[in-house]
Amino acid sequence: MLATVIGFLYQFADTFAFLILSSVGLAIIFGMMGVINLAHGEFIMCGAYVTVLTARAGLPLPLAMVLGALTAGIIGMLIEYFVIRRLYTRLFDSIVATWAISLIATQGMLIVVGPSIEGLKTPFGSFDLAGLSFSWYRILLPVIALLILGGIYWLFMKTPFGVRARATIQNPSMARALGVDTDRVYALTFGLGAALAGLTGALYAPTMTTVPTMGSAFIVQSFVTVVVGGADVLLGAAPAAAVLAFIQSVLTASYGQLIGQVGLLLTVIVVVRVLPKGISGWMLRGSN
Amino acid sequence: MKTRKAAVGIAAIAAAIVGITTPAIGADPVKIGLLEDQSGNFAIAVIPKIQATQLAVEEINAKGGILGRPIKLIHYDTQSDNTRFQEFARRLIQRDKVDVIFGAFSSASREAIRPIMDRYKQLYFYNNQYEGGVCDSNVFVTGAVPEQQFSTLIPWMMEKYGKKVYTIAADYNFGQISAEWVRNIVKEKGGTMVGEEFIPLSVSQFSQTIQNIQKAKPDVLVTLLVGANQASFYEQQASASLNIPMASSVNVGQAYEHKRFKAPALKDMYVTANYIEEIDSPASNDFKKRFHAKFPDAPYINQEAANAYNVVYLYKMAVEKAGSADMKKVRKALESGDICTDGPSGKVCIDPKSHHQSHTIYLVHVKADHSVEIPKVWNDIKPYWLGSVGCDLSKKDDTSQYTPSSPPKK
């Protein structure tokens, strides 16, 4: 019994962390800025590659992870400047453009770095409990996921940058009239989204195979979480991930991985049908 | 200025076309179509196959080609995508009019193009290890099959580690049918299956699977995982200290996980492979030397590279025996029973009944530091299963894939 409860909690936290971390970058770029970023997975891949390569070159792992996130952020800002900036009002064009960026990044990485690089070892080892053994690092991931969510909330709700960013996204011309440098805010916000995606790649790099297509492992979960989270991404991400993680881990534990995936996607269909504005839209239903 | 540039361009294109259509030796080339995943989920394991094919073609061309005709290799990148396979298979047959087609990695892509090969009666070599059972007049297989990989591996593992077996397998025809073979052999040898899970190819997070395995407490874990996503299992099971000996027909020999992961993620992994780079024999060392001379940056020479390399030589022998690249005559020659080649892992021969190939099977053990030892070698194992259940392509045409639970109707 104890083993079942502990095992379930661990699985739930693990899936929760994966959903949150998959979606944090996209929550900002797609959820807030409205850019359907099909290159999200490639920002994750970029963060992972930089982390693995610099860590193997001798940089301590936490620093390598920060560097991975920063690199993805800087590349994100460059892409925003050269491509995305022209497409804010052209939704479908931005889909095609980000898809192209995704293909170029995956294929470019394959040609330049090769089909795979040697990975890292997962840090911190494991511990035994109730006849099962668990990885410490995977206990840490949900904690980091929650800290990142808290950090984003603080940044957008409590800082001058956050106020400007929200103003720019709600009404760009009014924000400009009030003296906000909206171009800069867009670039920084997009860069932040890309950096968070890079951080996700960095955090999962020691637990996965580092290959050019690794971003695709995150892309479904990321869109699913943001869509289920709904209208207010800052509010919606955590409950959305909690609901989805609960359903997926219950089903995976009882019926295996396939049914877990099926359950995840069915839940999304039901939520989108019943709550078109997502979980956060339902939470805020009285407010406007 | 502009017109001059255009003229130069046209001349260059014309020269290129002429260059293609008039081969150096003067004779019409033998056209070999190659469908391999140079990108996508399977690229890691497939790139060495493409290189090995190119190496064999280059060697044969340097020695005067086949029947004095040079080989022209036409390769399309199928991108680990089954619809690309169908598209390019049709293009090779209809537009390029190739004499033979080689390639495919996953069984899903082979099954996607097999009906096309059958419709056009196109001679096709599947140069990859797989779940066995394809009894098809137009198809020849040079990879290893379950009677070569599982009938050796599973009893050996059960004897060494114990009789409780757990299988995790990729959820498509390869994993499903391979798992059926494992299940049958375990039962036959008096063991028990304590668990079985099929995992979609897109899955990269395995903590629930790892927990299920821990609860079932198997003595042997059979891992039939395929592709880059599923390879994440090994690091994740090591970080959770699963510590159960693993057995596989696909790992190490295809995507060289023991080189790509930090030790000890693959500690005590046992694989039956018909070739890996670490095999230290004169034939293997000679092959490695030639391979590295042509591809100095190649990260690893895997089992499928040996299979892809052998195909080119087997095809050459068959065409020479037939005296022509005519597909019917070549097929007849391949069914003669004496088409053999001395490849990187020793002598291999085509079996006329099943169109499959004999193999020397090496039991590969990955140690804690990820160095490799070979505790056992099974010499010259015939692909006997299809023949034993009644597939005889030298007598009766067929286009089916059989499994232990659905053998040919008598």
Side-chain angles (χ1 to χ4, degrees), chain A residues 59-200:
Chain A
L59 204 65
L61 187 61
L63 276 181
M65 287 177 167
V66 171
L67 200 64
L70 282 179
T71 312
I74 289 165
I75 292 175
M77 280 165 72
L78 289 174
I79 288 175
E80 198 276 342
Y81 184 80
F82 287 108
V83 183
I84 308 294
R85 179 160 296 190
R86 287 146 181 83
L87 305 173
Y88 281 123
T89 51
R90 294 155 60 184
L91 184 66
F92 295 110
D93 296 349
S94 73
I95 296 178
V96 176
T98 53
W99 189 42
I101 291 168
S102 148
L103 292 177
I104 292 167
T106 311
Q107 202 64 27
M109 202 55 117
L110 177 68
I111 292 166
V112 176
V113 190
S116 164
I117 55 173
E118 193 193 321
L120 302 171
K121 199 171 163 341
T122 312
F124 307 135
S126 66
F127 64 96
D128 290 322
L129 193 64
L132 300 168
S133 60
F134 301 95
S135 158
W136 275 116
Y137 187 73
R138 287 192 161 262
I139 302 275
L140 199 62
L141 285 176
V143 177
I144 295 174
L146 286 175
L147 286 177
I148 290 175
L149 269 190
I152 297 173
Y153 187 82
W154 172 81
L155 182 71
F156 280 98
M157 302 314 262
K158 305 282 177 201
T159 66
F161 167 78
V163 174
R164 279 189 216 112
R166 283 185 291 135
T168 303
I169 286 154
Q170 264 179 21
N171 192 335
S173 33
M174 181 57 89
R176 249 194 316 277
L178 293 172
V180 177
D181 182 351
T182 52
D183 281 354
R184 196 162 147 264
V185 170
Y186 271 131
L188 283 173
T189 314
F190 194 92
L192 176 68
L196 286 170
L199 183 60
T200 302

Side-chain angles (χ1 to χ4, degrees), chain B residues 319-336:
Chain B
V319 172
E320 283 170 351
K321 188 175 169 71
S324 136
D326 178 81
M327 285 189 262
K328 270 195 193 121
K329 290 181 188 158
V330 174
R331 183 187 150 190
K332 191 120 264 148
L334 283 162
E335 285 171 354
S336 67

Side-chain angles (χ1 to χ4, degrees), chain B residues 84-124:
Chain B
R84 290 278 170 284
F85 267 94
Q86 299 185 315
E87 196 179 309
F88 287 131
R90 288 201 189 91
R91 190 194 292 197
L92 282 174
I93 296 169
Q94 294 174 326
R95 203 187 73 180
D96 301 320
K97 300 196 167 38
V98 292
D99 296 297
V100 65
I101 294 176
F102 298 163
F105 175 77
S106 89
S107 289
S109 37
R110 181 201 68 241
E111 288 307 296
I113 55 175
R114 211 157 58 77
I116 300 173
M117 305 301 171
D118 290 332
R119 190 173 323 132
Y120 293 96
K121 302 222 174 314
Q122 170 68 47
L123 182 63
Y124 164 57

Side-chain angles (χ1 to χ4, degrees), chain A residues 12-26:
Chain A
F12 171 76
D14 192 63
T15 314
F16 177 78
F18 189 70
L19 290 168
I20 289 283
L21 290 170
S22 297
S23 64
V24 277
L26 195 73

Side-chain angles (χ1 to χ4, degrees), chain B residues 330-352:
Chain B
V330 174
R331 183 187 150 190
K332 191 120 264 148
L334 283 162
E335 285 171 354
S336 67
D338 53 5
I339 299 294
C340 301
T341 181
D342 284 305
S345 58
K347 189 178 174 189
V348 294
C349 298
I350 295 281
D351 166 42

